[in-house]
Amino acid sequence: MTASTKFTNALAQETSPYLLQHAHNPVDWQPWNAEALQRARREDKPILLSIGYSACHWCHVMAHESFEDEATAQVMNELFVNIKVDREERPDLDRIYQTAHQMLAQRAGGWPLTMFLMPDDHTPFFGGTYFPKEPRFGLPAFTDLCRRIATYYRESRVEITQQNAAVRENFRRLAAGGSPAGVQITDGVLTRARKEIADQFEPKHGGFGQAPKFPHPTTIERLLRHWAAHPDDNEALHMARFSLHAMAAGGVYDQLGGGFCRYSVDDYWMIPHFEKMLYDNGQLMALYADAALATGDAAFKRVALETAEWVMREMQSPEGGYYSALDADSEGEEGKFYVWTPDAVRALLSADEYKLFAPVYGLDRPPNFENHAWNPYIFQAPEDVARKLVMDAATVTPLLASARRKLFVAREQRVRPGRDDKVLASWNGLMIKGMARTGRLLGRADFIASAERAFDFLRAQMWKNDRLLASYKDGRAHLNAYLDDYAFLIDGGLELLQARWRDGDLAFLIELAEALLDRFEDKTGGGFFFTSDDHEQLIHRPKPAGDEAIPSGNGIAAQTLLRLGHLLGTAHYLDAAHNALAVLYRDIQHYPSGHNALLAAVEEYLYPTQTIVLRGDIQAMQPWLARCTRHYAPRRLTLAIPNDAKELPGILVQRAGKDAVTAYVCTGYACQAPVTEFMQLETVLAATEASR
């Protein structure tokens, strides 16, 4: 988006790349702050709240059509106090007003989110998403809508007051929800989730539901975990494998540079919405690494490795933190950076390379994108094409690798999509977990080092005065952190500790866990609020249970507290996890497959994690550590702690180092005698793996 400097508004002082994109709009945009809210009350003007994010295509479209247009801006400035919010920096506001949109419109929202709020208490009285400059798609022109809303505000206060009371009552009911006292947590919800997922599975093209098709990593993880517990359930494994293969072969995966786009606009995973989000790729990388370990499938390993390499190449800052997103657009066109024409590809490849590449990646078929362009996807298996072409099978892999490399180098010379270079604590937690897990399971020390750099960055720059900050850019960390920031960073830190021990890291995770309990736990009802107890007071304080594009913060908090509780022998962590599951169990029962992060916690509550603590010389422990990670074991936590480790917390101090390597193996509250012989460890692990 090109910005003129003819106008400058209050967003020019912000750090969010999305807000800065609008700093030179003629709209008198304000950030969400006390000054803007007070102005709305003082002038008795409704608030026009616009929520989006930097990689959002339709946000750019609405900005170009309306927010950069002086005539439209004049109407907005006259009638409203206009507030622009980055949903990635303020997920609290986004969560509240997306829920309100659902209440008012009786359908899901999205981005851009356009809401009109009362100036006194910020209750929304009308909302929508994208509105065009001129009437189309069955939508009114945006300026006409603005005038009608302003008139409605002036002339229909009684109706608005009645509607607002209903909205606030709905929020009150949401806040008062929860399970009845004495609820019994059972594994029936795990079985029901498995059935629901099977009903949602799309058997022809993989994935769940119809277009637009999202990757749903927590759903596929649930299938893998279910299969690990029930190894005779081949259908669960098939649904996971088929979906993972379909996404990896599709255009939703960047076949040249690695990494996944946000979703597919079709049923075939062929044409994506081209934005690349850090949170998707952190989850998918870990999932593909798990699937590679579980199945031995080389394609899953390749995707996990390529995605991690893309992250290190394009998404990690020199300071260590991971950036947030890549835009869908470049040069004003969605997908332009990624698509090709056959002539352009032919000019870069040898005859043999093109002869193989074109049918494998669909370039010999009609164009599948706008302007007669092709987005590469794996249309035919390379070995099938080689057989038809009577090519030597041994030449297929190197020819395709050479072709992809040449095209990637050429693509690097194009105008790149914009990058949102803010660092978010929560999304970094997801990526730290993904990088550390992929490095640990697939033997890449450089991935583990990348995760460590990000972890150290967050600790140095975003942990201030015993609390986390949510967002960082250009040397400035700010905004109260949310539940997801704490929970995801603890989860990523635990994964990093499994990849390598370092003194002090566990102590930091305990600090984070204590802060999470102090500031987010509902001490009377159980569970965790999305915002801290000293957060700005908003019209609703949600306690999120269901998974969305990222896992439920309550689910990840419960998982990590269960694992830390058993690892350290800390009863109040286990109690807090139980209380969260108990209060949210009615939500889980209502729709189990929509609560997969909480289901993982339910599983580990009912069937506690096998915790293995290895003590000894760091080199001598490596074969033991490798044995502990040989098989897919989602309910296993393994730490290799060298004998010279300092100040071990909790019951870890009792896991003494000896001259020989020693393994302390516990499941829940039950521990076996220390294991000092490698073959004895083999026997112990084989028994538990056989009884998955």
Side-chain angles (χ1 to χ4, degrees):
M1 189 190 322
T2 59
S4 165
T5 55
K6 178 180 177 182
F7 303 95
T8 299
N9 56 51
L11 300 184
Q13 305 305 312
E14 296 298 303
T15 62
S16 158
Y18 175 67
L19 298 186
L20 290 172
Q21 286 174 354
H22 296 81
H24 298 293
N25 291 167
V27 178
D28 184 20
W29 289 119
Q30 306 290 315
W32 180 284
N33 59 24
E35 181 181 351
L37 300 177
Q38 177 58 37
R39 176 181 163 189
R41 284 191 293 270
R42 184 176 65 249
E43 298 180 5
D44 190 28
K45 284 184 176 181
I47 294 167
L48 192 165
L49 177 65
S50 176
I51 302 179
Y53 60 103
S54 68
C56 166
H57 173 70
W58 286 102
C59 299
H60 295 335
V61 172
M62 190 167 178
H64 178 67
E65 289 180 344
S66 295
F67 304 151
E68 295 175 8
D69 178 68
E70 292 186 36
T72 303
Q74 183 177 0
V75 172
M76 294 171 65
N77 295 339
E78 177 185 345
L79 300 177
F80 306 107
V81 171
N82 302 290
I83 295 180
K84 175 65 77 172
V85 165
D86 182 342
R87 66 105 172 176
E88 296 168 358
E89 284 198 335
R90 295 299 305 262
D92 53 338
L93 295 172
D94 184 57
R95 185 177 293 272
I96 288 169
Y97 290 108
Q98 293 284 355
T99 302
H101 177 276
Q102 180 109 22
M103 294 176 187
L104 294 171
Q106 296 298 300
R107 61 179 182 273
W111 301 279
L113 183 68
T114 308
M115 301 295 287
F116 296 88
L117 320 182
M118 297 298 288
D120 51 354
D121 62 5
H122 315 141
T123 304
F125 61 94
F126 185 83
T129 53
Y130 163 79
F131 291 102
K133 184 178 180 182
E134 305 295 339
R136 65 177 186 274
F137 312 133
L139 296 169
F142 184 56
T143 51
D144 291 344
L145 176 73
C146 288
R147 292 187 179 99
R148 286 157 54 189
I149 292 296
T151 300
Y152 181 64
Y153 174 75
R154 290 193 307 271
E155 299 178 357
S156 304
R157 291 294 182 94
V158 173
E159 292 89 339
I160 291 175
T161 300
Q162 292 171 344
Q163 177 181 277
N164 286 356
V167 169
R168 296 184 78 89
E169 174 61 17
N170 284 337
F171 275 126
R172 189 196 66 77
R173 290 175 181 169
L174 287 175
S179 303
V183 64
Q184 295 296 310
I185 299 170
T186 72
D187 64 1
V189 289
L190 303 176
T191 304
R192 284 182 50 214
R194 161 67 179 81
K195 181 180 183 305
E196 286 178 0
I197 293 170
D199 292 341
Q200 298 157 7
F201 178 64
E202 204 275 271
K204 189 173 182 181
H205 304 292
F208 308 92
Q210 306 302 313
K213 292 180 81 166
F214 291 82
H216 294 291
T218 60
T219 300
I220 300 175
E221 181 190 22
R222 172 98 306 267
L223 288 171
L224 287 178
R225 289 184 68 118
H226 185 89
W227 170 75
H230 305 88
D232 58 340
D233 190 346
N234 292 322
E235 185 188 23
L237 180 60
H238 165 73
M239 288 188 286
R241 291 187 67 166
F242 188 71
S243 297
L244 290 169
H245 272 297
M247 291 189 296
V252 74
Y253 180 69
D254 182 352
Q255 299 294 336
L256 301 183
F260 287 87
C261 297
R262 182 71 192 94
Y263 61 85
S264 173
V265 302
D266 53 59
D267 287 335
Y268 323 109
W269 303 106
M270 185 189 300
I271 301 299
H273 183 36
F274 283 91
E275 62 189 6
K276 286 184 177 180
M277 311 302 295
L278 190 73
Y279 59 79
D280 286 322
N281 285 281
Q283 294 176 84
L284 288 167
M285 185 194 310
L287 182 61
Y288 274 87
D290 280 346
L293 184 65
T295 67
D297 194 314
F300 297 156
K301 179 178 180 179
R302 175 182 63 81
V303 168
L305 295 177
E306 289 176 356
T307 300
E309 288 164 353
W310 163 72
V311 170
M312 290 179 63
R313 185 176 66 244
E314 298 189 30
M315 301 301 288
Q316 189 158 29
S317 74
E319 297 172 280
Y322 297 115
Y323 298 133
S324 293
L326 293 184
D327 206 332
D329 301 0
S330 57
E331 300 183 84
E333 296 181 25
E334 183 176 6
K336 184 173 183 179
F337 180 77
Y338 298 98
V339 298
W340 295 85
T341 64
D343 287 345
V345 173
R346 189 182 289 107
L348 292 165
L349 304 185
S350 71
D352 284 344
E353 289 169 342
Y354 185 81
K355 181 171 66 173
L356 181 63
F357 185 92
V360 168
Y361 287 97
L363 268 68
D364 62 341
R365 303 180 62 76
N368 59 9
F369 196 59
E370 302 162 358
N371 300 321
H372 303 287
W374 280 253
N375 183 48
Y377 67 106
I378 300 178
F379 180 75
Q380 298 183 72
E383 55 271 23
D384 292 342
V385 174
R387 193 162 44 248
K388 293 174 186 175
L389 296 175
V390 196
M391 295 180 67
D392 181 358
T395 67
V396 170
T397 298
L399 274 175
L400 282 179
S402 173
R404 292 171 66 231
R405 187 165 51 250
K406 288 178 180 178
L407 295 177
F408 173 77
V409 170
R411 195 180 76 175
E412 286 292 280
Q413 307 308 309
R414 296 177 176 177
V415 176
R416 303 186 62 82
R419 181 171 61 194
D420 187 319
D421 59 354
K422 67 178 179 294
V423 174
L424 298 173
S426 58
W427 298 5
N428 270 250
L430 291 171
M431 185 53 73
I432 288 167
K433 179 177 182 178
M435 294 295 285
R437 193 180 193 91
T438 303
R440 177 169 68 92
L441 298 184
L442 302 185
R444 287 289 295 265
D446 54 337
F447 298 169
I448 298 170
S450 170
E452 183 175 271
R453 288 181 60 220
F455 185 80
D456 290 348
F457 171 83
L458 265 67
R459 186 174 184 180
Q461 301 298 332
M462 302 179 72
W463 176 249
K464 304 292 184 183
N465 301 318
D466 298 325
R467 69 183 312 134
L468 266 180
L469 298 172
S471 181
Y472 173 95
K473 186 178 183 298
D474 296 336
R476 177 186 169 197
H478 69 134
L479 300 174
N480 271 357
Y482 309 98
L483 170 62
D484 293 355
D485 297 300
Y486 285 87
F488 295 174
L489 185 53
I490 297 168
D491 195 30
L494 272 175
E495 188 63 50
L496 185 56
L497 273 178
Q498 291 192 81
R500 59 96 187 99
W501 176 265
R502 187 174 64 174
D503 287 343
D505 284 359
L506 183 55
F508 178 48
L509 299 186
I510 293 170
E511 287 186 83
L512 290 170
E514 293 294 338
L516 185 151
L517 291 173
D518 288 345
R519 298 190 176 113
F520 294 87
E521 187 182 18
D522 182 344
K523 301 296 194 297
T524 57
F528 301 94
F529 294 109
F530 188 68
T531 53
S532 62
D533 55 4
D534 60 350
H535 195 78
E536 172 189 1
Q537 188 171 352
L538 303 171
I539 64 172
H540 179 51
R541 192 183 182 199
K543 191 187 293 181
D547 301 320
E548 296 176 349
I550 58 179
S552 158
N554 267 279
I556 301 301
Q559 288 180 48
T560 56
L561 289 169
L562 285 169
R563 292 193 162 207
L564 282 173
H566 287 303
L567 176 68
L568 302 171
T570 308
H572 71 280
Y573 290 176
L574 300 174
D575 291 342
H578 167 265
N579 293 340
L581 295 178
V583 74
L584 297 172
Y585 197 63
R586 183 165 63 182
D587 293 339
I588 300 171
Q589 287 179 306
H590 178 68
Y591 182 34
S593 63
H595 297 80
N596 290 308
L598 278 165
L599 288 181
V602 167
E603 182 183 358
E604 297 199 8
Y605 171 77
L606 297 171
Y607 310 103
T609 303
Q610 181 185 59
T611 302
I612 303 173
V613 176
L614 304 175
R615 298 301 307 274
D617 174 77
I618 194 67
Q619 293 303 319
M621 288 190 290
Q622 293 310 304
W624 295 58
L625 185 60
R627 174 58 189 89
C628 292
T629 57
R630 183 188 302 166
H631 299 295
Y632 176 61
R635 295 202 305 263
R636 177 179 294 163
L637 174 71
T638 306
L639 298 182
I641 306 177
N643 282 341
D644 60 356
K646 304 291 193 299
E647 299 180 1
L648 295 180
I651 60 174
L652 285 180
V653 73
Q654 302 170 21
R655 314 295 191 231
K658 304 179 186 300
D659 291 339
V661 175
T662 304
Y664 298 88
V665 182
C666 301
T667 302
Y669 300 99
C671 294
Q672 301 189 28
V675 175
T676 56
E677 298 291 336
F678 184 82
M679 290 311 299
Q680 187 183 1
L681 176 71
E682 176 70 42
T683 301
V684 169
L685 297 185
T688 59
E689 290 161 355
S691 62
R692 292 182 307 181

